[in-house]
Amino acid sequence: MSDDHGSNKRPKIEARADVLMVGTGEYTTGYVGGTAADSDKGAGVVALTMFDLRRRGKVGRVGMCGVNGKKFPGIRNHMQRNIGDVYEDMDLTCDTYPADDSVDPKAYLNAVKTYKPGDLAIIFTPDDTHYDIALACINQGMHVMVTKPIVQTLEHHNSLIKAAKEKNVLVTMEVHKRWDPFYADARDRARSQLGNFQYMYAYMSQPKHQLDTFKAWAGKSSDISYYLNSHHIDFSEWTLEGIARPVRVTGTSSSGVAHSKGMKTEDSITLTVQWENLNDKTLGCAVYTSSWVAPKSDVHSQQRFFLMGTNGEINVDQAHRGMTVACDGKPFGSVNPLFMKYTPTNGKFSGQASYGVKSFECFVDACRQINAGAKTADAFDDGSLATVGTTCQGTAILEAGRRSLDADSRPMDIVYGDDANTPVDIRPHEF
């Protein structure tokens, strides 16, 4: 397995990629509830990145698909104010689906038909919609990137693997932490210096108002573990590939704040995961906690982890990078331009080195290489991208955690077949 994190060695490919963005919310456009999101992503990430990649000659046609077309006039105005009026040379031309006077939950089916094999789909929609949308795009012959979690069940995950192989397309999960230099270095140190896995504690939170941002699906079709624990669970799977595998998951939760808002969902979810070291069958333990009822603080999202191996340990505080900003009329904040640098340089967007951008650019570059015949889709199973074929364990952990919570915290065992690294089933633990 390669430990390469990016695409610096990839050959120059001339052809532009046509891109369909599915989803019109916070991460795609920064538009929430009729205004800019009250988070660290007010200008969005996906659309801004695609427009910049078009400016730089890597992307051609850009489309955007949602459910409620009546939002598009507001989205266009929002993007003009936050992108077009802020950065020079940004072409915001974008085909939108459905029409501005329509509401259509299946609009993506019509949007996909306007794209050809080899084009790209980037899906940022509620978790329970990922599978159907991704499968429709794959069947059209499109390369697909899906936000985390890629799907909610191991069954759907394996179905996407099969479909991707049949259509010979690249299917990946968007996990930008793999391009965070702190996380990437921690991963390499853990793999090369820390020995067998012993213990990990990871915490990630967002403020209470995110319950309102995600009220359309929070507690109805997904939960905070799928939304936030997926980050550090993917980091574990990426870091421990070939070293250890998850074998048992127990879920516990806290409640109260969401219930007081009439939302039937957990406030915080903790997944305790037993990992088995492959070389000697010794055990390690990881504890992943996520919450969306934190108070507003100096950061939008608290994010940190501690990892210990038999030979050493690592601490990473992703939320605090040593840079703070205070301005009149704005709260004091710890900022992280390593994720997204929104401040223009000489009038132009200059966030290309940000890991929030690099995650998408590396996917676009990979697809262009495949389309040009320079690489095959399975070449990216080497760890350079979070491909559907290399992220099964993360899906198994998340599904097992949900099933454990629904069974009053009964532990769930992750079952493996002939391939010691690929989960095939999840079963209630028998005491």
Side-chain angles (χ1 to χ4, degrees):
M1 172 182 170
S2 167
D3 281 356
D4 179 29
H5 304 304
S7 58
N8 293 333
K9 298 180 180 179
R10 295 173 183 169
K12 184 177 181 180
I13 304 295
E14 298 296 338
R16 291 174 179 253
D18 291 344
V19 178
L20 173 65
M21 300 177 289
V22 186
T24 63
E26 179 181 34
Y27 209 85
T28 299
T29 66
Y31 187 76
V32 175
T35 187
D38 183 16
S39 71
D40 57 349
K41 297 176 281 290
V45 177
V46 187
L48 171 59
T49 299
M50 293 306 114
F51 295 142
D52 185 60
L53 288 175
R54 177 160 60 191
R55 182 180 69 85
R56 294 162 54 205
K58 292 188 175 186
V59 165
R61 176 192 175 201
V62 175
M64 184 186 300
C65 179
V67 171
N68 187 353
K70 298 175 183 179
K71 293 182 179 180
F72 281 125
I75 290 172
R76 295 186 194 102
N77 289 334
H78 167 82
M79 292 195 301
Q80 182 60 46
R81 288 193 305 272
N82 289 275
I83 300 176
D85 294 344
V86 175
Y87 309 109
E88 296 176 3
D89 303 327
M90 282 290 201
D91 175 9
L92 305 188
T93 303
C94 182
D95 301 326
T96 55
Y97 308 87
D100 288 6
D101 59 354
S102 299
V103 177
D104 182 6
K106 299 290 186 180
Y108 67 89
L109 294 174
N110 291 325
V112 165
K113 291 177 183 176
T114 70
Y115 283 79
K116 63 185 182 300
D119 290 343
L120 283 59
I122 298 175
I123 301 168
F124 274 74
T125 60
D127 297 346
D128 65 319
T129 67
H130 292 178
Y131 175 72
D132 289 339
I133 298 173
L135 194 59
C137 295
I138 292 170
N139 288 335
Q140 186 70 6
M142 301 176 73
H143 303 295
V144 179
M145 170 180 270
V146 188
T147 185
K148 68 200 82 61
I150 189 166
V151 287
Q152 292 179 299
T153 68
L154 192 56
E155 178 185 2
H156 281 170
H157 198 124
N158 288 328
S159 177
L160 289 188
I161 292 175
K162 180 181 178 182
K165 288 181 179 178
E166 289 175 350
K167 291 293 185 177
N168 195 28
V169 297
L170 179 64
V171 178
T172 71
M173 181 169 64
E174 198 284 319
V175 274
H176 46 263
K177 287 191 183 301
R178 294 193 181 202
W179 280 266
D180 181 338
F182 285 39
Y183 276 59
D185 187 66
R187 184 252 187 179
D188 290 342
R189 289 176 186 269
R191 292 179 64 79
S192 63
Q193 301 173 12
L194 298 194
N196 274 358
F197 176 65
Q198 284 272 302
Y199 175 75
M200 180 175 179
Y201 167 71
Y203 176 73
M204 192 167 180
S205 70
Q206 290 194 354
K208 293 180 181 70
H209 68 75
Q210 290 296 87
L211 284 171
D212 297 319
T213 299
F214 302 126
K215 62 185 177 182
W217 57 262
K220 300 173 184 177
S221 59
S222 193
D223 59 38
I224 189 57
S225 182
Y226 276 112
Y227 179 57
L228 288 186
N229 274 336
S230 52
H231 292 75
H232 285 112
I233 286 170
D234 176 75
F235 175 77
S236 294
E237 181 174 14
W238 184 45
T239 299
L240 298 176
E241 191 277 328
I243 297 174
R245 65 181 186 179
V247 294
R248 187 170 301 153
V249 181
T250 304
T252 54
S253 67
S254 59
S255 61
V257 176
H259 288 179
S260 71
K261 294 175 173 285
M263 305 172 72
K264 295 181 179 180
T265 189
E266 299 89 355
D267 292 344
S268 305
I269 292 176
T270 295
L271 302 185
T272 303
V273 182
Q274 192 86 74
W275 289 77
E276 179 185 69
N277 289 297
L278 297 175
N279 62 349
D280 60 7
K281 306 301 181 184
T282 57
L283 298 176
C285 178
V287 181
Y288 309 95
T289 296
S290 58
S291 175
W292 46 14
V293 299
K296 291 196 70 171
S297 66
D298 60 324
V299 295
H300 177 67
S301 177
Q302 298 286 352
Q303 305 179 33
R304 54 185 176 267
F305 75 83
F306 168 82
L307 187 150
M308 182 174 68
T310 52
N311 299 332
E313 64 185 40
I314 297 174
N315 270 293
V316 175
D317 182 354
Q318 191 272 352
H320 300 93
R321 303 302 178 98
M323 183 176 181
T324 60
V325 175
C327 295
D328 290 341
K330 295 181 180 180
F332 172 84
S334 296
V335 298
N336 179 17
L338 293 176
F339 166 57
M340 282 296 290
K341 181 185 180 300
Y342 286 110
T343 312
T345 301
N346 298 325
K348 290 184 168 57
F349 177 68
S350 56
Q352 293 82 10
S354 305
Y355 60 84
V357 170
K358 290 173 70 176
S359 174
F360 294 102
E361 184 169 1
C362 288
F363 171 69
V364 171
D365 286 346
C367 296
R368 294 170 70 219
Q369 290 183 60
I370 293 169
N371 291 343
K375 286 277 188 79
T376 58
D378 60 5
F380 296 95
D381 286 337
D382 63 353
S384 56
L385 295 177
T387 62
V388 66
T390 59
T391 51
C392 290
Q393 292 179 0
T395 297
I397 291 172
L398 290 166
E399 181 186 0
R402 184 66 260 171
R403 289 172 62 175
S404 174
L405 288 167
D406 293 341
D408 294 326
S409 296
R410 181 175 179 175
M412 296 288 158
D413 291 335
I414 298 176
V415 181
Y416 294 83
D418 295 335
D419 183 347
N421 292 307
T422 304
V424 296
D425 198 7
I426 299 167
R427 299 172 188 167
H429 180 69
E430 296 296 337
F431 292 95

